[in-house]
């Protein structure tokens, strides 16, 4: 279909890869746990937007710049790593507050901010671009007349499945959070744990290499 091959294997592999925890799933779980399903969904949609940009860039060869240019890769990873560390610090500082930013006056701007966080978190991770460059071509037929179209098709399938998983994370996290919502101490330490993991992901990204 559309110049692809072994589509069933691609779908299965994509589902398994989406299940592996990372900064994207951590952002969704953290937002859903502290602000509800809508916040988790906003983060998921932001991540899906970032993924779509990566897919289009990879399909038309733009992501190859990250694979071949050490300067471009370093610049993007510094921006991404610094942003993750910034988020970790912000979450840790926010955990010291006793009130939640969930009021009706702040919900709309909060959801927009969370969506942007999702886009930035995904978009400034050069490993995502390199992943698509290395993973997708394995499922594109060598005889395909339009390889960019095949790449885009596979990317959309991957992103669709990813959004289903991401929204499941948002639902599960928000449901679990409601059961412990009365225990502010637990929520505070869960937030600090998430902040610590963001810091670890940020440092890992800063020290990463293209290979």
């Amino acid at each position: 279909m559309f110049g692809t091959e072994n589509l069933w294997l691609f779908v299965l592999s994509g589902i398994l890869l989406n299940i592996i925890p990372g900064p994207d799933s951590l952002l969704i779980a953290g937002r859903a746990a502290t602000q509800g399903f809508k916040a988790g969904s906003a983060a998921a949609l932001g991540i899906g937007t970032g993924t779509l940009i990566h897919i289009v860039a990879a399909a038309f060869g733009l992501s190859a710049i990250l694979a071949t240019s050490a300067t471009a890769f370093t610049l993007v990873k510094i921006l991404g790593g610094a942003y993750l560390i910034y988020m970790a610090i912000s979450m840790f500082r926010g955990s010291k507050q006793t009130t939640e930013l969930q009021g009706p006056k702040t919900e709309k701007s909060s959801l927009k901010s969370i969506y942007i966080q999702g886009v930035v978190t995904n978009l400034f991770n050069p490993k995502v671009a390199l992943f698509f460059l290395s993973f997708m071509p394995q499922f594109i037929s060598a005889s395909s007349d339009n390889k960019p179209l095949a790449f885009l098709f596979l990317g959309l399938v991957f992103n669709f499945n990813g959004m289903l998983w991401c929204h499941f994370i948002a639902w599960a996290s928000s449901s679990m959070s409601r059961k412990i919502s009365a225990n502010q101490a637990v929520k505070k330490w869960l937030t600090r744990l998430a902040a610590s993991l963001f810091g670890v992901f940020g440092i890992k990204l800063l020290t990463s290499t293209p290979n």
Side-chain angles (χ1 to χ4, degrees), residues 23-200:
D24 289 348
S25 56
L26 179 61
L27 176 63
I28 296 168
R31 288 303 182 184
T34 57
Q35 294 180 249
F37 175 78
K38 286 184 179 180
S41 178
L45 292 174
I47 289 165
T49 301
T51 301
L52 184 60
I53 294 173
H54 276 299
I55 291 168
V56 173
F60 293 99
L62 298 179
S63 294
I65 297 174
L66 290 176
T68 58
S69 172
T71 301
F73 181 88
T74 300
L75 177 61
V76 173
K77 80 170 184 177
I78 288 176
L79 292 173
Y83 185 72
L84 289 177
I85 293 174
Y86 163 76
M87 287 181 60
I89 295 172
S90 298
M91 291 175 66
F92 191 87
R93 293 175 61 184
S95 70
K96 297 179 180 179
Q97 299 176 357
T98 57
T99 57
E100 298 290 339
L101 299 177
Q102 294 183 6
K105 293 182 180 180
T106 60
E107 182 177 3
K108 184 175 181 180
S109 61
S110 177
L111 292 179
K112 180 180 178 180
S113 175
I114 292 169
Y115 171 80
I116 294 174
Q117 281 185 338
V119 175
V120 174
T121 300
N122 184 274
L123 194 58
F124 285 98
N125 186 348
K127 288 291 187 178
V128 177
L130 299 185
F131 161 75
F132 284 123
L133 281 178
S134 60
F135 181 67
M136 299 289 199
Q138 302 177 54
F139 300 93
I140 297 177
S141 174
S143 59
S144 173
D145 295 329
N146 195 331
K147 289 182 173 59
L149 177 61
F151 202 109
L152 288 173
F153 171 72
L154 290 176
L156 291 175
V157 171
F158 181 90
N159 208 15
F160 176 78
N161 291 333
M163 285 297 93
L164 292 179
W165 173 250
C166 287
H167 279 83
F168 171 77
I169 294 176
W171 170 79
S173 299
S174 62
S175 299
M176 184 180 300
S177 177
R178 285 195 294 269
K179 296 178 181 179
I180 62 173
S181 59
N183 193 328
Q184 293 298 324
V186 172
K187 295 186 74 172
K188 179 181 73 175
W189 286 106
L190 285 176
T191 301
R192 290 184 176 182
L193 175 61
S196 299
L197 291 175
F198 267 115
V200 170

